Amino acid sequence: MKNWLWWLLAGLVALAGGVLGLINPNAAQITSTTIAGWALVLMGLLQGRAAWKSSAFRERAGAALFAAAGLFLGLSLLIGPIGDGTLLRWLLVGLLVIGGLAKLWIGRRYETDPLFWAVLVAGALSVVLGLLVLLGVTLQLGVILSLELLGSGAALIVMALRLEKPAIR
């Protein structure tokens, strides 16, 4: 399989997890958090596989870092946070803000592409969600994670489609 296919699979898993998590977050906070946890674990595994298959060091290092953070966050959601949850909160803020900034940075490569706005919006969404968590805005964790999964899934799919057809610049 080519590397772009792993990115596409990770994006589809993230989109599915985001949609399932948002279906009914008020009545199913535990369910949406569990779905988001499993989606983060699967996305982390697939992103780790994509990192393993990457030939460029920067691409490999970035994907491996986000894969590790996604795996840790997903496992923390599934088995419970370590300690009082402060580490989980800071990891979530870091993952959202750094991931959002990375999407914005990567998205600038696609500015001539019609799908540029999908990556840009996904990056901005991640940064805003991270800042909301940092500021302590009371949103359900399942809603935050589901929105992040939707944004990340869209960005991963766009990047996968562009890796498959490298017609950029």
Side-chain angles (χ1 to χ4, degrees):
M1 272 195 222
K2 294 183 180 179
N3 194 33
W4 69 269
L5 189 55
W6 293 108
W7 290 101
L8 181 65
L9 290 173
L12 292 172
V13 166
L15 272 180
V19 169
L20 289 173
L22 281 178
I23 287 176
N24 195 355
N26 291 330
Q29 176 64 23
I30 293 172
T31 303
S32 63
T33 304
T34 302
I35 290 169
W38 278 111
L40 280 166
V41 167
L42 286 173
M43 186 180 78
L45 290 172
L46 290 169
Q47 225 173 348
R49 176 70 175 156
W52 182 261
K53 299 292 278 183
S54 296
S55 58
F57 176 75
R58 290 178 69 187
E59 183 180 320
R60 179 179 283 189
L65 180 64
F66 283 111
L71 282 170
F72 181 80
L73 185 59
L75 290 173
S76 294
L77 290 174
L78 294 173
I79 62 176
I82 299 169
D84 63 354
T86 304
L87 176 64
L88 179 63
R89 179 178 176 214
W90 283 105
L91 181 64
L92 180 61
V93 168
L95 183 67
L96 291 170
V97 171
I98 294 169
L101 292 174
K103 287 175 207 157
L104 291 171
W105 179 262
I106 292 168
R108 68 186 182 84
R109 286 182 47 199
Y110 301 104
E111 60 189 316
T112 60
D113 194 289
L115 296 175
F116 161 71
W117 292 104
V119 179
L120 188 69
V121 168
L125 175 67
S126 296
V127 171
V128 167
L129 288 172
L131 293 175
L132 289 175
V133 172
L134 181 65
L135 295 173
V137 174
T138 54
L139 288 173
Q140 289 182 339
L141 182 60
V143 171
I144 291 171
L145 292 171
S146 296
L147 290 173
E148 170 58 16
L149 284 168
L150 287 173
S152 291
L156 284 168
I157 288 170
V158 168
M159 288 185 275
L161 294 175
R162 294 310 168 242
L163 278 174
E164 189 234 350
K165 298 176 187 174
I168 301 168
R169 291 188 186 182

